C-alpha cells in the first residue's frame, strides 16, 4: 500500500480568508479555495466562478485556421470527397464526431476512419492512408492526431490530396508539410488556451465554420476535454461548463441513450459522470473492439440504432472491467515477486492487449513504482507493452536510453507504448532497475498529496456542497477539493463489492456521523490498530429511493499522531466520571487516590480493602482510581507527569449535580452598586438583598467575600458600607475569586469536557505519552 503524506494546499490565515471573503463578496469556504488556487484578481474570479459562452475565444486565433476554412469551404462547395482520420480513445472519437457533424451541417457527406489499436496503432498509418487515397478522397482532415505524420502526409501530398492536420499533442522537431496545421501550441502563434484537447480543437473549427450553431456540438467537446485530462483552465473550463448545460438539451440521441444506460439524469449530469461513466465506456470500444461504433453512436439520429450501439458498448465495457480485474489479480504474484525492484515488469498470461495500460496504471497506483505491462502478440511475434510511471520518474527518458532493444517505441514522461522481442524483455528489465536511483526517485518514499479544507463533521452540509460546487467543473488543474476530518473514528466498517475489497463505513466524532465509501480500502481499514484517524475525502450526495444523504468518498485515512496518542492513553485511562462506585469496585484497584484530605479521612471510616493515599504519594506501575477532583489543574498535571500508572480510572467525585459558580460580572456590578446606594444593610439582611436582586444567596455571599477582600466594602457598626479604597483593584487580586476561577477551570477541563478532549488536554502533560 502506497504511503501518502497529506499537506494543506496552502495555509491562508483566518484573517486573510475573512478579509478576502468580505472584499470579494464570497463565503469564507469559497474564499479559502480561491486563495489556494491563486485566483485573486476580480477578473479572474469572475471568469472562474461564472464561466459562460461569451468567454469563448476567437477561433481564428488558432494557427492556420484561415487556411483550414478556405480548404474546407472549397471542398464543400465543389462537392469534393472529404475523409476524417481520428483516434480510438474518447477524445479521438468525440473529435471525429464533431468534425463529421460539422461537415454534414455544411452539406458534405464525409467518410471517417478510426484506427484499430491492434492493427493500425496510434496516429497516422501509411497503409490506411493508401487505402483512403485509393477511395479517391480529395481532402483528409486529421483530428486528435497527425502532427507527427510527416512521411504519411507527404505520401498524400505527392498524390495531390490536400491535408488539414488538427491536433493538440506535443510537437515533433519537424512539422509535416500539411496544407494547414490547426494546433494550439505552434511556436510563434500560440493560442490563448494552449491546453485544448483534440475535441476542443475540432470544436474551434466548428465554431469558425458554423458560428453559434456550433454550440450544439460543445457537449461532445466537453466529453473529449474531460476524458483527455487536459487542464480545466481558461477556454477548457468554458467548454466543459457550457457542454454540461448543452447535454441537457438532448441534441444527440446517442449520447442521451448512453447517459440513460449509465443511469445518469440529463438534468443532473456532471463532469464526474463524464469521467467515470461516459468516457470509460467510449474508451472501452477502442480497447477491445473498434471505436468506429462510438462515432456512429454520437452522430446518429436513429434512436433504435443508438440503443443497439449502447447495449453493445455496455457489454464491451463490462467485458473490459472483467478482463482488467482478472489480469490485475493474475499480476499480484508477479508484483509480490518484484517487491525489491525499482521498476516492475509484468508478463501477461493471455491478457488482452487493450487493457495493458490499465493494468500498468493500477499496479503503479498500488506500488508507487514505474510499471511495464506486456503480452505476447501472436500476429507480430513480439511482446506488446504499455507503461505508466508516477510523478517524479520520467519513463520516456528511462526507456529511450535502450531504444535499440525495441522494435517500436513512443510515449512521454508518465506513459508509453512499445514492442519488444521476447528474449530482450528480461535484458530490459535488468537494465531498468538502476533508473530510479539515477533519477533520484525513491519508490518507497511517501507520495505527497494535498487537501484543501480542514473541517469537522458538523461543518458538512448540503450548503457546503453548494459552496464548493461554485468552483466546478473539477478536473486537471482544478481538482475537486479534498476535506480533512481530524481525529475521527471509523465505525460499522464492512466490505462491499464483487471482490469484497471496497469499504463502507461511517465517519464519526462524539456527536456527529457521515456515511463514507472507500474503493479498494477495506483491507487497509481491517488492519487498523485504532479506528481513530485523520480522514481525507470529497463530499458528495448519495441518492437512494428519493432520499438524499451526505456521503464522503474516501481518498485515504491514517492514524494521526494525535489519534495514536489518544488511543494509547485510552489503554491507560478509564472514564469513570458520573458512574456509581461501590466498595467492591474500589477494591479492584491497587490504590484510591485523593486530592482532598477531608475525602480521604471520610473514606477511612469505611472498610475498604485497598490503599487509600494522597495524590503526592508514588503510584508508578499501579492500577489506581482518582476519587475526587483537585482544587486547581496544576496539582493534577503534577500527578500525571510524575506517576506512570498501569491504569488510572478518573472518577473526580464531588457533588456532580451542582456546579461551581461562574462569576457573573453584571451581577457583581449590580450588587456593588446596590450596596453603595443603600444604607443600613446588615449581613443578616443579605437574604432580602438577594431576593430583591433576584440572585441566589450563595452567589451574594461569594460576591460579598470578594468585595471585602478587595476593600470595596467594609463593616462599620454592623452595617455594610462603601470602603475608601486608595487604589483600583483587579478581581483576581481576591484570593476567593482566584480560587473560584481555578475551580471553574478544573470543572471545565476535568468534568465538562468529553473524554477525548480530556485525554487530548492531558497528552501535553502525561508521562505515558
Amino acid at each position: 500500500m502506497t504511503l501518502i503524506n497529506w499537506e494543506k494546499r496552502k495555509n491562508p490565515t483566518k484573517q486573510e480568508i475573512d478579509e478576502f471573503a468580505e472584499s470579494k463578496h464570497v463565503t469564507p469556504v469559497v474564499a479559502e479555495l480561491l486563495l489556494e488556487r491563486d485566483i485573486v484578481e476580480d477578473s479572474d474570479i469572475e471568469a472562474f466562478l461564472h464561466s459562460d459562452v461569451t468567454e469563448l475565444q476567437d477561433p481564428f486565433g488558432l494557427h492556420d485556421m484561415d487556411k483550414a476554412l478556405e480548404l474546407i469551404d472549397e471542398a464543400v462547395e465543389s462537392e469534393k470527397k472529404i475523409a476524417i482520420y481520428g483516434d480510438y480513445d474518447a477524445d479521438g472519437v468525440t473529435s471525429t464526431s464533431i468534425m463529421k457533424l460539422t461537415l454534414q451541417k455544411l452539406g458534405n457527406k464525409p467518410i471517417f476512419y478510426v484506427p484499430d489499436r491492434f492493427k493500425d496503432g496510434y496516429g497516422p498509418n501509411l497503409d490506411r492512408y493508401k487505402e483512403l487515397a485509393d477511395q479517391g478522397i480529395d481532402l483528409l482532415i486529421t483530428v486528435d492526431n497527425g502532427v507527427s505524420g510527416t512521411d504519411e502526409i507527404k505520401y498524400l501530398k505527392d498524390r495531390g490530396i490536400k491535408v488539414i492536420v488538427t491536433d493538440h499533442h506535443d510537437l515533433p522537431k519537424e512539422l509535416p508539410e500539411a496544407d494547414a496545421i490547426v494546433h494550439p501550441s505552434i511556436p510563434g502563434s500560440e493560442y490563448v488556451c494552449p491546453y485544448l484537447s483534440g475535441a476542443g480543437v475540432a470544436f474551434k473549427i466548428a465554431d469558425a465554420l458554423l458560428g453559434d450553431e456550433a454550440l450544439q456540438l460543445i457537449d461532445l467537446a466537453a466529453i473529449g476535454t474531460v476524458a483527455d485530462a487536459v487542464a480545466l483552465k481558461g477556454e477548457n473550463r468554458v467548454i466543459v461548463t457550457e457542454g454540461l448545460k448543452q447535454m441537457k438539451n438532448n441534441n444527440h440521441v446517442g449520447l442521451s441513450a448512453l447517459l440513460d444506460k449509465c443511469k445518469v439524469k440529463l438534468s443532473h449530469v456532471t463532469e464526474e459522470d463524464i469521467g467515470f461513466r461516459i468516457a470509460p465506456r467510449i474508451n472501452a470500444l477502442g480497447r477491445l473492439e473498434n471505436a468506429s461504433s462510438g462515432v456512429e453512436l454520437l452522430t446518429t439520429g436513429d434512436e433504435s440504432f443508438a440503443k443497439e450501439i449502447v447495449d453493445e458498448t455496455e457489454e464491451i465495457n463490462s467485458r473490459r472491467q472483467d478482463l482488467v480485474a482478472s489480469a490485475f489479480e493474475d499480476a499480484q504474484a508477479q508484483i509480490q515477486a518484484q517487491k525489491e525492484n525499482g521498476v516492475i515488469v509484468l508478463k501477461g498470461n493471455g491478457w488482452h492487449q487493450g487493457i495493458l495500460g490499465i493494468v500498468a496504471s493500477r499496479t503503479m497506483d498500488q506500488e508507487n513504482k514505474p510499471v511495464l505491462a506486456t503480452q505476447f502478440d501472436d500476429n507480430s511475434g513480439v511482446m506488446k507493452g504499455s507503461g505508466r510511471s508516477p510523478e517524479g520518474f520520467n519513463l520516456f527518458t528511462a526507456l529511450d536510453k535502450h531504444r535499440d532493444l525495441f522494435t517500436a517505441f513512443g510515449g512521454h514522461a508518465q506513459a508509453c507504448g512499445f514492442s519488444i522481442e521476447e528474449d530482450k524483455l528480461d535484458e530490459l528489465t535488468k537494465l531498468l532497475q538502476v533508473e530510479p536511483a539515477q533519477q533520484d526517485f525513491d519508490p518507497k518514499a511517501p507520495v505527497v498529496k494535498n487537501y484543501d479544507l480542514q473541517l469537522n463533521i458538523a461543518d458538512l452540509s448540503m450548503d457546503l456542497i453548494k459552496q464548493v460546487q461554485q468552483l466546478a467543473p473539477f478536473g486537471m488543474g482544478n481538482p475537486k477539493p479534498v476535506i480533512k476530518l481530524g481525529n475521527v473514528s471509523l465505525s460499522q466498517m464492512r466490505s462491499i463489492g464483487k471482490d469484497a475489497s471496497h469499504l463502507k463505513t461511517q465517519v464519526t466524532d462524539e456527536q456527529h456521523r457521515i456515511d463514507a465509501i472507500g474503493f479498494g480500502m477495506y483491507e487497509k481499514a481491517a488492519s487498523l490498530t485504532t479506528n481513530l484517524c485523520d480522514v481525507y475525502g470529497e463530499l458528495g450526495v448519495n441518492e437512494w429511493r428519493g432520499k438524499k444523504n451526505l456521503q464522503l468518498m474516501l481518498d485515504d485515512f491514517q492514524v494521526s499522531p494525535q489519534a495514536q496518542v489518544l488511543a494509547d492513553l485510552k489503554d491507560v485511562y478509564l472514564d469513570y466520571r458520573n458512574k456509581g462506585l461501590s466498595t467492591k469496585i474500589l477494591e479492584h484497584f491497587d490504590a484510591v487516590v485523593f486530592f482532598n484530605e477531608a475525602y480521604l479521612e471520610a473514606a477511612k471510616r469505611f472498610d475498604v480493602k485497598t490503599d487509600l493515599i494522597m495524590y503526592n504519594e508514588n503510584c508508578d506501575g499501579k492500577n489506581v482510581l482518582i476519587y475526587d477532583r483537585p482544587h486547581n489543574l496544576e496539582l493534577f498535571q503534577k500527578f500525571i507527569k510524575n506517576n506512570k500508572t498501569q491504569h488510572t480510572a478518573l472518577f473526580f467525585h464531588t457533588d456532580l449535580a451542582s456546579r461551581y459558580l461562574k462569576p457573573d460580572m453584571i451581577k457583581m456590578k449590580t450588587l456593588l452598586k446596590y450596596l453603595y446606594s443603600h444604607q443600613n444593610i446588615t449581613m443578616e439582611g443579605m437574604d432580602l438583598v438577594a431576593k430583591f436582586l433576584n440572585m441566589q444567596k450563595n452567589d451574594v455571599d461569594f460576591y460579598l467575600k470578594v468585595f471585602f477582600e478587595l476593600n470595596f466594602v467594609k463593616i462599620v457598626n454592623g452595617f455594610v458600607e462603601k470602603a475608601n479604597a486608595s487604589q483600583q483593584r483587579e478581581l483576581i487580586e481576591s484570593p476567593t475569586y482566584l480560587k473560584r476561577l481555578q475551580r471553574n477551570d478544573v470543572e471545565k477541563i476535568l468534568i465538562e469536557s468529553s473524554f477525548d478532549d480530556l485525554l487530548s488536554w492531558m497528552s501535553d502533560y502525561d508521562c505515558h505519552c
Side-chain angles (χ1 to χ4, degrees), residues 31-46:
E32 185 170 0
L33 295 174
L34 290 173
L35 286 169
E36 289 187 326
R37 286 154 175 75
D38 293 321
I39 303 170
V40 295
E41 300 298 330
D42 289 343
S43 59
D44 294 335
I45 293 171
E46 177 64 24

Side-chain angles (χ1 to χ4, degrees), residues 434-707:
V434 300
E435 283 297 323
Q438 290 184 1
Q439 294 193 28
D440 197 26
F441 174 78
D442 181 5
K444 295 182 180 179
V447 175
V448 176
K449 291 189 177 182
N450 297 120
Y451 67 92
D452 301 85
L453 301 168
Q454 181 158 3
L455 302 173
N456 299 312
I457 300 177
D459 300 322
L460 307 182
S461 66
M462 294 294 183
D463 182 64
L464 177 64
I465 291 179
K466 290 179 181 178
Q467 292 183 58
V468 170
Q469 199 61 27
Q470 291 182 49
L471 281 80
F474 300 111
M476 187 67 66
N478 180 37
K480 191 171 184 180
V482 175
I483 295 169
K484 175 183 179 181
L485 302 174
N487 295 326
V488 291
S489 297
L490 299 183
S491 63
Q492 299 184 33
M493 295 184 291
R494 60 189 180 92
S495 60
I496 59 173
K498 288 182 181 179
D499 58 357
S501 66
H502 307 312
L503 171 68
K504 184 173 179 60
T505 185
Q506 287 191 333
V507 181
T508 67
D509 58 19
E510 292 288 325
Q511 295 179 307
H512 306 89
R513 63 186 61 238
I514 182 173
D515 291 333
I517 297 288
F519 292 111
M521 293 186 178
Y522 180 73
E523 183 179 349
K524 179 177 180 177
S527 65
L528 285 172
T529 55
T530 171
N531 63 350
L532 282 170
C533 297
D534 287 343
V535 168
Y536 304 86
E538 292 98 28
L539 185 62
V541 177
N542 179 38
E543 188 169 351
W544 175 249
R545 293 181 178 175
K547 292 185 178 180
K548 294 182 178 181
N549 294 299
L550 293 174
Q551 180 174 267
L552 198 67
M553 299 304 297
L554 299 177
D555 291 311
D556 191 26
F557 48 86
Q558 300 175 349
V559 177
S560 67
Q562 181 64 16
Q564 187 61 60
V565 167
L566 294 182
D568 292 342
L569 288 179
K570 284 186 175 180
D571 287 338
V572 176
Y573 290 95
L574 309 172
D575 191 3
Y576 271 46
R577 297 173 301 172
N578 289 318
K579 291 187 177 180
L581 287 184
S582 65
T583 301
K584 280 190 174 182
I585 291 176
L586 293 178
E587 289 175 352
H588 283 297
F589 295 93
D590 300 323
V592 178
V593 178
F594 296 87
F595 281 93
N596 302 278
E597 288 189 8
Y599 281 106
L600 173 63
E601 294 304 318
K604 287 180 179 178
R605 293 197 294 269
F606 297 91
D607 186 20
V608 180
K609 295 180 176 61
T610 189
D611 291 338
L612 305 177
I613 62 176
M614 287 296 290
Y615 70 94
N616 51 4
E617 298 181 52
N618 188 292
C619 296
D620 276 355
K622 295 182 178 180
N623 293 310
V624 304
L625 178 138
I626 297 180
Y627 185 82
D628 57 335
R629 51 179 138 166
H631 291 302
N632 63 68
L633 291 173
E634 287 186 7
L635 293 178
F636 184 65
Q637 291 169 8
K638 288 179 182 178
F639 178 83
I640 61 177
K641 276 182 181 178
N642 298 331
N643 292 280
K644 197 164 189 176
T645 58
Q646 187 173 354
H647 291 97
T648 300
L650 304 174
F651 181 57
F652 295 141
H653 174 71
T654 52
D655 183 3
L656 298 183
S658 62
R659 291 289 187 251
Y660 289 130
L661 165 70
K662 291 180 174 58
D664 187 320
M665 295 298 296
I666 294 177
K667 288 184 177 180
M668 292 184 76
K669 288 179 180 179
T670 299
L671 176 61
L672 189 61
K673 184 177 180 180
Y674 186 88
L675 295 176
Y676 282 179
S677 60
H678 291 74
Q679 298 178 349
N680 302 324
I681 299 176
T682 65
M683 292 299 295
E684 290 76 12
M686 284 301 163
D687 285 343
L688 294 176
V689 172
K691 187 175 182 180
F692 179 79
L693 295 178
N694 195 27
M695 295 183 188
Q696 297 292 324
K697 175 59 167 56
N698 60 341
D699 290 358
V700 170
D701 291 343
F702 168 73
Y703 297 146
L704 197 59
K705 189 173 182 181
V706 172
F707 296 159

Side-chain angles (χ1 to χ4, degrees), residues 34 82 99 205 224 234 238 240 249 262 291 294 308 359 428 439 492 588 607 610 625 643 652 699 737 741:
L34 290 173
I82 303 175
M99 193 62 66
I205 291 180
V238 181
V240 176
N249 292 334
C262 298
E308 288 179 16
V359 173
L428 176 66
Q439 294 193 28
Q492 299 184 33
H588 283 297
D607 186 20
T610 189
L625 178 138
N643 292 280
F652 295 141
D699 290 358
Y737 187 84
L741 287 184

Side-chain angles (χ1 to χ4, degrees), residues 155 161 289 490 582:
Y155 169 81
I161 298 171
E289 302 288 345
L490 299 183
S582 65

Side-chain angles (χ1 to χ4, degrees), residues 130 149 292 424:
K130 288 179 180 179
S292 295
K424 292 183 179 179

Side-chain angles (χ1 to χ4, degrees), residues 235-252:
E235 195 168 22
N236 280 349
R237 188 170 176 80
V238 181
I239 288 172
V240 176
T241 301
E242 290 299 318
L244 290 170
K245 294 177 185 176
Q246 187 65 28
M247 282 185 197
K248 299 169 186 178
N249 292 334
N250 196 19
N251 283 327
H252 305 289

